[in-house]
Amino acid sequence: MVVRNYNQELEYLEKINSYCWKIKKGFQPNMNVEGVFYVNQTLEKLMLDELRNACRPGMVGGFLPGVKQIANVAALPGIVGRSVGLPDIHSGYGFAIGNMAAFDMGDPNSVVSPGGVGFDINCGVRLLRTNLFEQDVLPVKEQLAQSLFDHIPVGVGSKGIIPMNSKDLEEALEMGMDWSLREGYIWAEDKEHCEEYGRMLNADPSKVSMRAKKRGLPQLGTLGAGNHYAEIQVVDEIYDKWAACKMGIEEVGQVCVMIHSGSRGFGHQVATDALVQMEKAMKRDNIETNDRQLACARINSVEGQDYLKSMAAAANFAWVNRSSMTFLSRQAFAKQFRVTPDDLDMHVIYDVSHNIAKVEEHIVDGKQKTLLVHRKGSTRAFPPHHPLIPVDYQLTGQPVLIGGTMGTCSYVMTGTEQGMLETFGSTCHGAGRALSRAKSRRNIEYTEVLRRLEDMGISIRVASPKLVMEEAPESYKNVTDVVNTCHAAGISKKAIKLRPIAVIKG
Amino acid sequence: MSKRLLAALEYPNADNINLAEEKTLRNVVVWLELNKFQRAKQSTLNGLKNVSSKDWTIHFDDYKECFGCPPLSSQVEEVHWLLGQAIQNETSKNRNVYLKHAVENIKTSNVPSVVAENPLDKLDFRSTEFGNRVNQLAKTLKIVPYPDPLVTLQAVRKVICTRLTPDCVEHPDKYIVTGTPYPFQDADLGFDLHDKVLNQAAKVLRMLYIHDLRDLQTKANELIVAVQNVTANPKTDTKLGQVGR
């Protein structure tokens, strides 16, 4: 590989407009398509600083900078359109988190890469609304946070309170949210307001290793650790009155519950197992990539198909997991206010996945094509009238839930036609890390983080306070910058801003 | 396909026919005329009968004209068209035979038939009296009349069936949906027909489609709930819970 200095590298980057940069071919070897990333002024500085640091002599090891990772993805076989970096992009395993890429299903060389989905398969966000207002909740905020904490087990090694045996797990893996429905944990309306209706139909539990199932079984219905959380939030600002109205959000001050979680150890094991298989397939089929972490297999190979089937099972696991926590949150609220969840109007507004690969139809160079769309740290954002979005959102576009970091705001956006054309109907997923976990542990004291949350009037319950500083707002990009960039670039549209009043975390 | 048409017309040995062969094709035309159509002038018929003549095509062109056969890309296709014509003739000739097998007839033949006197059958739907009365009815029900009184009548029927049932009159809240207004005029249609009126019409169609879709989704939800009544048994066991570190 050629070694270039920072200024030489910059020659391959071109600013198209105030929110969008192009990565030209040649930035990394063998690029099949160009790369693109969306940033505003602040995020642009972070992005380029990262590249500058990586260009300093003697900088080896660790993840490649995000721009390099976007370009490496652009060199994968079968990629179409552009390799897209979203404003919250940061380095990850193989693909950067916040990178989306689409591969032509019609091209026999096209690949699927577990690195393009991530280890927490179908990590996602679900938003529930209530008919309560801030003043109803404030007096009992502490009790409510405690009640949620008691219902939803959190932290590394936590175990769920919904009894499951291995047969239940097999069924849940195959049926996704239909399992939760059958068992009565959720409402019929929850299913319609969920991406893919909460079930990947190609899931095949027999392709999942015993080890993954063993890890997953006790963890269903738990939140997990890391950046996962459940928050009680209050509507802070409404940008799009009509979109909010369609979501059942009438006024500022209305209380919502946001759940951010994924497929726990189960998804992690599925991804780990697949990577081992992929390395073998790459050798056999002579697939070359720029980065060893971009392990992949042809979509139509046995390894590729097995991965897609087990990934779908993991996706179903995540939906059942979020559904179980929906059930538990409804119970917690119902107990606290002594009314039924129905009377509290605790409907699911939407449920998005931000680590997933899906087969979708898109227009590429004027032709309709079937693509395998990888979204890692990126949310699907389909425009109004798209046939795959719920009937209630046909006029507004798909709701996109952008979870903030602990103590910061979250947003609800909607999908746009422009996003469909530019980014295969994808947008950002959250704030995106700015500091590595290790760095944030060194920089910030956890007591300080907790004190500041208290000052902001946010109740917090954590399983392991010492890990809190990894998730402190300082460790992340500013979610408002991220959301504003997507809005200004037109790839999605701001609808609602939410601020937390209580947080539970691993 | 041609073979099946020929078989239906009872052409001898229809299974082994190859219309791509010129001679066979010409023989089929002659057979069709002699046995099915019998419409050609004597001169044309003689010309067609002479299947090895060079002028056959001229006579064929004459012949197919008397059926109004459109010019097609090959003679095979034209013969195919003629076969279709012949089949149509046969079917209409034997209409009664086929109708005997129609679904409605099979059903009714098993049930003792009661000839109901429907007074509406005797109405003259085009009379001004009918039109005026329908419009009056529409006015009472606050329905905007449509130029065709039958369409207005359909709207009247719809309103009566959905809003004037005894249950609906007693408990109107159960039936009348109080939706929140939505400025659909400002909503993005998703495409542009470059015509204001057409765009407006497309928007209305969109709304009707979304309405139907909502109805379908609601029915799906009701079905799920009905199944849940049988299968649902959610359980929790707090003893299983364990908070991690």
Side-chain angles (χ1 to χ4, degrees), chain B:
Chain B
M1 188 64 188
S2 303
K3 280 180 189 168
R4 292 174 66 181
L5 293 179
L6 282 166
L9 293 168
E10 293 169 350
Y11 188 83
N13 204 8
D15 273 351
N16 303 316
I17 289 294
N18 182 7
L19 281 183
E21 282 175 20
E22 203 174 30
K23 201 169 162 213
T24 321
L25 180 132
R26 291 181 180 184
N27 281 328
V28 166
V29 173
V30 176
W31 182 86
L32 273 180
E33 169 54 24
L34 287 177
N35 296 287
K36 300 291 166 188
F37 294 127
Q38 290 152 4
R39 273 168 75 171
K41 285 180 277 180
Q42 196 54 44
S43 58
T44 317
L45 180 61
N46 290 340
L48 287 176
K49 271 183 179 168
N50 190 2
V51 290
S52 46
S53 139
K54 264 186 265 166
D55 297 338
W56 191 86
T57 312
I58 300 170
H59 293 291
F60 179 64
D61 285 345
D62 262 0
Y63 179 61
K64 68 181 200 220
E65 200 131 291
C66 67
F67 294 96
C69 170
L72 296 168
S73 60
S74 71
Q75 260 181 9
V76 178
E77 273 180 50
E78 284 165 346
V79 170
H80 196 92
W81 189 90
L82 284 178
L83 286 173
Q85 205 66 21
I87 291 279
Q88 227 167 51
N89 287 353
E90 291 284 293
T91 339
S92 46
K93 227 192 287 172
N94 300 321
R95 204 155 172 270
N96 294 336
V97 181
Y98 298 124
L99 273 184
K100 215 160 62 189
H101 300 287
V103 181
E104 305 97 75
N105 291 337
I106 293 175
K107 242 192 254 160
T108 46
S109 65
N110 297 336
V111 184
S113 62
V114 182
V115 186
E117 187 92 344
N118 187 348
L120 289 179
D121 286 347
K122 289 182 187 147
L123 272 182
D124 177 7
F125 297 118
R126 299 289 154 210
S127 70
T128 26
E129 195 196 355
F130 176 76
N132 289 342
R133 288 295 160 89
V134 167
N135 287 347
Q136 262 176 23
L137 195 56
K139 209 172 157 193
T140 324
L141 292 169
K142 293 185 186 132
I143 298 167
V144 181
Y146 186 80
D148 182 348
L150 278 179
V151 176
T152 315
L153 189 62
Q154 271 179 5
V156 167
R157 179 189 154 271
K158 206 165 178 183
V159 169
I160 292 175
C161 289
T162 53
R163 291 289 160 82
L164 294 178
T165 56
D167 197 38
C168 184
V169 173
E170 266 172 55
H171 315 277
D173 328 343
K174 269 205 310 200
Y175 294 87
I176 297 167
V177 188
T178 44
T180 28
Y182 187 88
F184 77 97
Q185 295 288 15
D186 305 334
D188 181 20
L189 180 59
F191 53 84
D192 189 5
L193 295 167
H194 305 291
D195 181 327
K196 221 174 153 189
V197 179
L198 273 183
N199 276 343
Q200 189 71 7
K203 250 178 204 173
V204 171
L205 279 178
R206 279 269 201 215
M207 292 303 135
L208 288 172
Y209 172 67
I210 291 174
H211 182 83
D212 280 356
L213 212 56
R214 182 61 256 173
D215 199 40
L216 180 67
Q217 182 71 59
T218 306
K219 281 179 185 146
N221 289 351
E222 281 166 0
L223 188 70
I224 294 174
V225 172
V227 175
Q228 276 187 321
N229 284 335
V230 181
T231 60
N233 183 20
K235 291 181 287 260
T236 49
D237 183 352
T238 39
K239 272 181 282 173
L240 294 172
Q242 190 177 314
V243 174
R245 61 174 172 80

Side-chain angles (χ1 to χ4, degrees), chain A residues 210-451:
Chain A
M210 248 351 262
R211 189 141 176 235
K213 289 176 191 166
K214 271 205 183 120
R215 274 179 83 175
L217 181 57
Q219 294 181 335
L220 253 184
T222 64
L223 190 68
N227 56 352
H228 295 159
Y229 59 77
E231 279 185 349
I232 302 171
Q233 304 177 332
V234 171
V235 174
D236 197 41
E237 224 176 316
I238 296 176
Y239 308 101
D240 184 339
K241 180 171 170 239
W242 298 110
C245 166
K246 282 277 173 200
M247 297 173 200
I249 299 294
E250 303 291 343
E251 269 174 77
V252 168
Q254 200 171 334
V255 172
C256 295
V257 180
M258 185 176 271
I259 299 167
H260 176 197
S261 183
S263 51
R264 310 283 285 105
F266 183 88
H268 199 285
Q269 191 62 45
V270 166
T272 312
D273 292 341
L275 284 172
V276 178
Q277 298 301 316
M278 300 268 161
E279 292 208 355
K280 286 183 204 153
M282 282 177 79
K283 251 185 222 145
R284 186 193 58 211
D285 297 337
N286 296 320
I287 303 172
E288 304 255 340
T289 58
N290 290 341
D291 179 357
R292 212 176 141 253
Q293 292 183 349
L294 287 171
C296 55
R298 296 208 169 115
I299 297 172
N300 294 322
S301 66
V302 178
E303 292 81 5
Q305 284 299 312
D306 283 359
Y307 172 65
L308 285 174
K309 286 171 187 165
S310 52
M311 183 209 71
N316 286 346
F317 183 98
W319 277 313
V320 173
N321 195 25
R322 288 200 284 278
S323 295
S324 301
M325 284 186 279
T326 305
F327 171 73
L328 298 167
S329 312
R330 283 175 179 154
Q331 299 281 310
F333 268 76
K335 266 186 209 159
Q336 183 62 47
F337 292 98
R338 293 197 186 82
V339 282
T340 64
D342 281 284
D343 290 331
L344 289 170
D345 192 37
M346 290 186 76
H347 278 285
V348 170
I349 290 181
Y350 205 61
D351 178 305
V352 295
S353 322
H354 48 229
N355 279 358
I356 207 159
K358 281 199 284 202
V359 179
E360 289 170 7
E361 300 285 320
H362 287 275
I363 306 290
V364 184
D365 302 327
K367 277 193 210 116
Q368 184 175 343
K369 281 198 168 157
T370 309
L371 307 178
L372 183 67
V373 181
H374 289 64
R375 291 196 184 91
K376 182 187 195 177
S378 159
T379 318
R380 190 184 80 175
F382 278 168
H385 310 303
H386 193 286
L388 292 182
I389 66 173
V391 51
D392 295 344
Y393 303 128
Q394 281 287 317
L395 290 173
T396 61
Q398 178 208 312
V400 181
L401 312 173
I402 311 295
T405 46
M406 194 172 52
T408 64
C409 296
S410 296
Y411 288 85
V412 181
M413 304 182 84
T414 51
T416 62
E417 198 58 53
Q418 196 181 346
M420 200 63 186
L421 298 172
E422 281 188 30
T423 59
F424 297 100
S426 314
T427 190
C428 63
H429 85 299
R433 263 187 185 284
L435 295 180
S436 74
R437 287 179 190 276
K439 233 186 217 165
S440 12
R441 273 200 299 271
R442 283 197 299 274
N443 286 359
I444 315 155
E445 196 62 40
Y446 79 88
T447 43
E448 170 68 15
V449 176
L450 292 181
R451 199 185 51 78

